[in-house]
Amino acid sequence: MDLQITSGSFKGGELIAPASKSQSQRALIFASMASGESELINVLQSPDIFAMITACEAMGAKILCQESGRYSVTGISGYPKLCSSRINVGGSGQVLRFFPAIALCAFNEFSLFGDESVAKRRSMADLLTGLGQLGINFDYLDRVGYAPVNLKGKLSPGFVSVKGYDSQVVSALLIAASYLGGVTTIKVTEPGELPWVKLTQCWLGDQVEYSAKNTSNIYKVTGKRLHEPFSYTVPGDFSSIAYFVAVAAILGKPLKIDGLDWSQPQGDKIFIDILIKLDKNKVIEKTRSGLIVKGQMRLESNLTIDVNECIDMVTILAVIGCFANGILEITGAKVATEKESNRLLAISTELKKMGADISVKEDGLVIRGLVPIKGADCHSWQDHRVAMALTIAALGASGDSIIREAACIEKSNANFYRELNRLGVKIAVI
């Protein structure tokens, strides 16, 4: 799907934050492994979620969709028994990392594969190193370090040391360890994306003891096979609302967002705090259940922002940098090169088409702001966060833009363009 975006057509208004993808994925996993029937409400509807549902059903969980976003899940009491020897994770990094760790809490043998982004960009090397230390055998079927891969065995509690710059590896091991009958100690070197690990810890409660020593994080997990069923309403997603906040603040249009829970430890929540801190005009205000944007943002002077704790925000922050008064340097973003696309390369390439002064460095970007950007013919790189960020750039540019292969946004927010259209944006399918 190729779209034409009319420059400056965003009018503002009100919206409800879409459901969190990360929390939807975790809710499905824990409900599937529980003993009894759980109820999940406001689950995000996206290809990644459907891939997780299919994978959980392959473990034996019974998942019934009662209505859109509402599921009853009958769990497997901590004993996954695969009914399929081939598991397709689609394009989901969370299913790629979380599912094999969970499935191997009991003896299973299976192959894991996914789409092109999984096979080429989403490394499994660190996760499989960890699983191997806990007794799992694996064989790469094509490229070393990447799916497709065969896995066989049953996890045993013990000691494991892994690199943690990608939080999904750590979260996968934490979740799996919580079902093993014993104590598992996870030493994480090169820790990164820590809020997302904290998100997982919140699900495990007092099963996890945490300490930091020198450059490593240590997690001590006391496992138990049986977990109680639960009822859970998935909260709004801070990652998804960031694009709407950005366009309202860039263009100075009023916006009210509800459906957020500020007590949630979602990693990208910190992105809003960053904008509030740096904006000289203070146009963003938090409310009890959301936020409001009441004017045009003004970022001045030379700024350096470490995005490691809100890594998915690197593309939209690059766009915001185009409208800042000064040089914005983004650091701590090396892991962004291993997402659905190399996001540093993707967003810099496309913003350059618009005339932006942007360059890539090893772990981030440098953007010289207030260089006028103009409409251009841009490509999404089949990456939802690139497509959404470029759409916001197009709304702030002079002249209309085209976003090629924009349907990839369904991965995290299928209603993104419908919501923008409701808020005044003129969008045409071409």
Side-chain angles (χ1 to χ4, degrees):
M1 178 178 70
D2 299 339
L3 300 178
Q4 180 171 308
I5 309 296
T6 299
S7 170
S9 56
F10 181 84
K11 303 300 182 186
E14 300 182 2
L15 64 86
I16 303 297
S20 164
K21 179 160 70 78
S22 295
Q23 290 289 52
S24 293
Q25 298 281 40
R26 286 165 174 79
L28 285 164
I29 284 177
F30 282 100
S32 294
M33 288 289 280
S35 302
E37 184 174 321
S38 298
E39 181 182 38
L40 306 181
I41 302 168
N42 196 38
V43 175
L44 181 70
Q45 304 295 277
S46 81
D48 280 14
I49 300 303
F50 301 144
M52 180 63 84
I53 290 172
T54 299
C56 288
E57 289 176 331
M59 293 193 302
K62 293 180 172 59
I63 302 177
L64 176 64
C65 181
Q66 298 174 328
E67 59 185 68
S68 181
R70 189 184 188 107
Y71 294 87
S72 64
V73 182
T74 303
I76 57 178
S77 299
Y79 287 94
K81 184 177 181 180
L82 294 189
C83 62
S84 174
S85 61
R86 285 174 52 81
I87 305 298
N88 184 356
V89 307
S92 173
Q94 289 185 72
V95 182
L96 177 71
R97 278 65 174 260
F98 292 2
F99 173 79
I102 296 301
L104 294 165
C105 288
F107 183 88
N108 280 296
E109 182 176 2
F110 57 97
S111 62
L112 202 70
F113 65 98
D115 68 8
E116 185 178 6
S117 71
V118 161
K120 291 184 176 180
R121 307 212 59 80
R122 313 306 288 268
S123 173
M124 293 193 72
D126 292 329
L127 174 64
L128 294 184
T129 295
L131 296 179
Q133 292 173 55
L134 298 177
I136 301 304
N137 296 314
F138 59 89
D139 293 297
Y140 295 112
L141 301 180
D142 186 8
R143 183 184 174 198
V144 172
Y146 296 83
V149 60
N150 277 338
L151 300 105
K152 179 180 179 180
K154 176 184 176 181
L155 289 167
S156 298
F159 176 84
V160 56
S161 178
V162 293
K163 294 179 181 179
Y165 67 93
D166 189 321
S167 65
Q168 290 176 359
V169 173
V170 182
S171 286
L173 292 170
L174 285 171
I175 296 170
S178 74
Y179 295 99
L180 304 181
V183 176
T184 299
T185 300
I186 304 169
K187 178 181 178 181
V188 180
T189 61
E190 301 180 32
E193 302 180 316
L194 292 179
W196 297 111
V197 179
K198 183 178 180 182
L199 189 68
T200 300
Q201 286 181 258
C202 289
W203 279 91
L204 300 180
D206 60 8
Q207 283 186 264
V208 180
E209 296 178 22
Y210 167 76
S211 63
K213 297 181 179 180
N214 299 324
T215 59
S216 297
N217 288 348
I218 309 293
Y219 301 89
K220 184 178 180 181
V221 186
T222 302
K224 59 180 181 180
R225 186 63 64 172
L226 301 182
H227 291 223
E228 294 295 320
F230 55 91
S231 180
Y232 181 70
T233 299
V234 178
D237 187 49
F238 285 92
S239 303
S240 294
I241 61 99
Y243 305 91
F244 298 97
V245 173
V247 68
I250 288 170
L251 296 180
K253 302 296 183 180
L255 180 67
K256 179 182 179 182
I257 299 177
D258 280 316
L260 299 174
D261 182 352
W262 291 103
S263 68
Q264 284 278 307
Q266 293 180 39
D268 292 335
K269 179 177 68 174
I270 196 174
F271 174 76
I272 303 300
D273 293 325
I274 289 172
L275 293 187
I276 291 174
K277 179 180 179 181
L278 298 180
D279 174 26
K280 303 297 183 182
N281 287 342
K282 304 299 180 185
V283 301
I284 303 171
E285 290 184 3
K286 295 180 181 179
T287 65
R288 184 180 64 82
S289 60
L291 58 82
I292 58 173
V293 181
K294 57 180 183 179
Q296 191 167 36
M297 179 174 58
R298 179 167 59 96
L299 302 184
E300 291 188 351
S301 73
N302 297 330
L303 305 169
T304 299
I305 299 176
D306 186 331
V307 297
N308 186 259
E309 293 191 348
C310 54
I311 194 66
D312 285 338
M313 297 293 93
V314 67
T315 57
I316 188 59
L317 190 55
V319 170
I320 290 172
C322 294
F323 298 92
N325 184 14
I327 297 174
L328 173 62
E329 182 175 1
I330 299 173
T331 64
K334 187 175 182 180
V335 71
T337 65
E338 300 177 5
K339 300 293 185 178
E340 286 83 346
S341 70
N342 179 335
R343 287 179 176 162
L344 302 184
L345 178 62
I347 196 65
S348 62
T349 298
E350 301 307 314
L351 288 178
K352 283 179 180 178
K353 293 179 182 178
M354 292 182 161
D357 186 344
I358 181 171
S359 59
V360 180
K361 59 178 191 173
E362 183 179 3
D363 74 335
L365 299 164
V366 178
I367 308 103
R368 187 179 298 275
L370 293 188
V371 175
I373 62 172
K374 59 186 183 300
D377 191 331
C378 298
H379 196 277
S380 71
W381 293 54
Q382 287 291 306
D383 187 325
H384 57 132
R385 301 210 182 277
V386 174
M388 290 188 285
L390 289 174
T391 300
I392 303 310
L395 289 168
S398 61
D400 298 348
S401 296
I402 295 172
I403 312 296
R404 303 286 181 185
E405 297 190 88
C408 59
I409 57 93
E410 293 187 2
K411 182 179 178 72
S412 59
N413 187 359
N415 292 323
F416 179 71
Y417 286 112
R418 284 190 287 273
E419 289 285 15
L420 281 179
N421 184 251
R422 188 178 60 80
L423 296 171
V425 176
K426 295 179 181 179
I427 304 170
V429 179
I430 57 174

